[in-house]
Amino acid sequence: MKMRAVSAQVLLLLLLLELVRARDCTGSSRCTGSSRRYTPDWPSLDSRPLPAWFDEAKFGVFIHWGVFSVPAWGSEWFWWHWEAEKLPAYQNFMKENYPPDFSYADFGPQFTAHFFHPDSWADLFEASGAKNIRYGLYHSLLEWFHPLYLRDKKNDFKTQYFVRAKIMPELYDLVNRYKPDLIWSDGEWEGPDTYWNSTDFLSWLYNDSPVKDVVVVNDRWGKNCSCHHGGYYNCQDKFKPETLPDHKWEMCTSIDKMSWGYRRDMMITDVASEYSIISELVQTVSLGGNYLLNIGPTKDGLIVPIFQERLLAVGKWLSINGEAIYASKPWRVQFEKNETSVWYTSKGSTVYAIFLHWPESGILSLESPIATSTTQITMLGIQNDLKWSTNPGEGLLVYLPHLPPAAVPTEFAWTLRLTGVK
């Protein structure tokens, strides 16, 4: 299976918190730059500018929390692997742990959320680097075992019983009732956008919905849409372009490298390291993307300590280096792959060089910036200017400060602020 879907008997809404350190939008021109009306076709819908808050945000937290958090084993695709594919590991897990007549629906009453305290979650997410919290919803178009969906699928999606009776009324209700700032669509890959009536919904969303001026959507609106149509592009889970894309994009990934939902069988080797998370964040933002980091709470509503630790590590790093991340733009050069691995961002005329490895010589070579008579270089987290010289070849040589380990701003991924460079 090429992508992730919601494993639920009825639609489960999974909370998406897009973490924003940007101003709120107070008017349509401020958010989208346009007050035009959009027709239900891709050329028109694709021409809508993204509300500014999304590009300024850069970092978000994805939350997969649902009935699959009760068995909490294997992955959030538990129901599909068990009932549809009948994978031996899942079959054996159920035989060893539950009675023979146990159904997926029987997990429902055990999804208690007994220790769910939203204020504590919000405090954690703020500590992970958020200044404001915007509300978004994950929404799966398909439902694996819904009889109307299976009927349409059998008819090669020439009928729309499921869409008309279930999905579209649901989507309109969700927007009117909850007014999300972001809709993270998924589960689109078996049917075309014409089956899902995606363009009709999006034209209403952009023109007449209560969130028309601020709402952001992704690109999963039909099997022909990913990386081609919609709002920003996901393209695929854990998408990593190698060069600067010409369209706003997002990398979504999970702290648990093997699953999006909480797993009781998670091993420490399955957990992404602080270095790998922050490195991915830096690389994503340098290439113009947003970084969406997933956690899976337990059925009781707890965020396990290892996930808290990773989120807090991101927050600690952003507290020092966030100037180079929030509301930044890609520079004319995005990266230099050398022994230090340097990634660039910019704000106006200021350039930020984030290097992932400290050079043994203590001298950092930057190939791309061109010095001028007003060039100044500082390291975020350290007050004094750094000494530098022009490289006999090209670029600059920056003489890094000689500091005891405790005085270095961060353990990895250090940021230089360069002013007066070309």
Side-chain angles (χ1 to χ4, degrees), residues 155-392:
N155 294 335
D156 197 27
F157 299 108
K158 298 294 194 298
T159 58
Q160 293 181 303
Y161 298 110
F162 177 66
V163 174
R164 297 185 186 280
K166 176 66 166 57
I167 285 300
M168 279 301 136
E170 182 174 71
L171 267 173
Y172 284 93
D173 180 62
L174 287 172
V175 173
N176 285 318
R177 187 187 301 260
Y178 297 106
K179 299 176 178 58
D181 293 306
L182 191 148
I183 299 175
W184 210 97
S185 183
D186 200 8
E188 83 297 350
W189 55 84
E190 292 188 337
D193 66 281
T194 51
Y195 166 70
W196 297 114
N197 287 348
S198 297
T199 55
D200 287 340
F201 169 72
L202 291 175
S203 65
W204 170 81
L205 187 70
Y206 293 167
N207 292 326
D208 302 309
S209 78
V211 291
K212 61 186 178 65
D213 295 328
V214 297
V215 71
V216 176
V217 303
N218 62 351
D219 58 349
R220 301 185 183 189
W221 296 99
K223 67 178 183 180
N224 54 320
C225 292
S226 183
C227 228
H228 292 93
H229 299 298
Y232 64 92
Y233 291 169
N234 287 129
C235 297
Q236 61 188 22
D237 292 351
K238 305 184 180 181
F239 173 63
K240 286 184 182 181
E242 295 184 359
T243 57
L244 180 66
D246 58 4
H247 192 93
K248 182 63 186 181
W249 65 283
E250 173 189 79
M251 178 187 180
C252 62
T253 190
S254 186
I255 293 178
D256 179 355
K257 294 179 287 187
M258 308 302 293
S259 177
W260 300 84
Y262 171 69
R263 298 183 301 137
R264 290 178 287 170
D265 55 330
M266 181 179 68
M267 304 293 289
I268 191 63
T269 52
D270 298 331
V271 178
S273 68
E274 295 177 9
Y275 172 79
S276 66
I277 291 169
I278 292 171
S279 296
E280 282 186 339
L281 168 64
V282 169
Q283 295 170 41
T284 297
V285 174
S286 294
L287 291 173
N290 281 20
Y291 189 65
L292 185 61
L293 185 61
N294 177 78
I295 59 170
T298 70
K299 65 183 178 66
D300 304 307
L302 296 173
I303 299 173
V304 296
I306 191 66
F307 292 164
Q308 295 185 44
E309 183 182 62
R310 293 297 187 265
L311 289 177
L312 292 173
V314 175
K316 180 181 177 182
W317 187 87
L318 285 171
S319 70
I320 296 169
N321 300 279
E323 177 185 333
I325 299 297
Y326 301 116
S328 67
K329 298 291 184 182
W331 192 45
R332 62 174 176 82
V333 174
Q334 290 77 59
F335 59 90
E336 295 170 2
K337 286 294 184 73
N338 49 39
E339 64 174 351
T340 56
S341 189
V342 181
W343 295 81
Y344 291 98
T345 64
S346 67
K347 280 184 184 176
S349 60
T350 302
V351 177
Y352 299 93
I354 307 172
F355 57 104
L356 303 182
H357 305 286
W358 194 283
E360 291 186 9
S361 64
I363 302 173
L364 178 67
S365 174
L366 301 177
E367 301 171 2
S368 303
I370 301 172
T372 69
S373 59
T374 61
T375 296
Q376 286 186 304
I377 301 176
T378 57
M379 177 180 288
L380 298 187
I382 295 178
Q383 291 184 345
N384 297 331
D385 290 354
L386 301 183
K387 295 181 179 180
W388 61 272
S389 64
T390 55
N391 192 327

Side-chain angles (χ1 to χ4, degrees), residues 408-422:
V408 178
T410 59
E411 295 181 41
F412 35 73
W414 307 269
T415 303
L416 301 183
R417 181 198 296 119
L418 290 75
T419 57
V421 297
K422 298 179 182 178

Side-chain angles (χ1 to χ4, degrees), residues 24-81:
D24 290 337
C25 290
T26 57
S28 60
S29 62
R30 190 173 180 181
C31 296
T32 64
S34 173
S35 59
R36 59 169 285 193
R37 291 188 67 82
Y38 298 92
T39 53
D41 57 80
W42 288 121
S44 177
L45 297 171
D46 289 345
S47 70
R48 177 185 183 257
L50 277 180
W53 71 263
F54 182 76
D55 182 56
E56 294 173 351
K58 304 304 181 186
F59 174 64
V61 175
F62 212 177
I63 302 172
H64 278 69
W65 191 37
V67 174
F68 48 78
S69 307
V70 176
W73 190 88
S75 84
E76 80 288 351
W77 281 62
F78 185 93
W79 193 15
W80 180 263
H81 294 324

Side-chain angles (χ1 to χ4, degrees), residues 104-123:
Y104 189 78
D106 292 328
F107 286 125
Q110 299 178 41
F111 183 68
T112 64
H114 182 70
F115 298 111
F116 171 51
H117 300 295
D119 289 345
S120 297
W121 283 23
D123 290 343

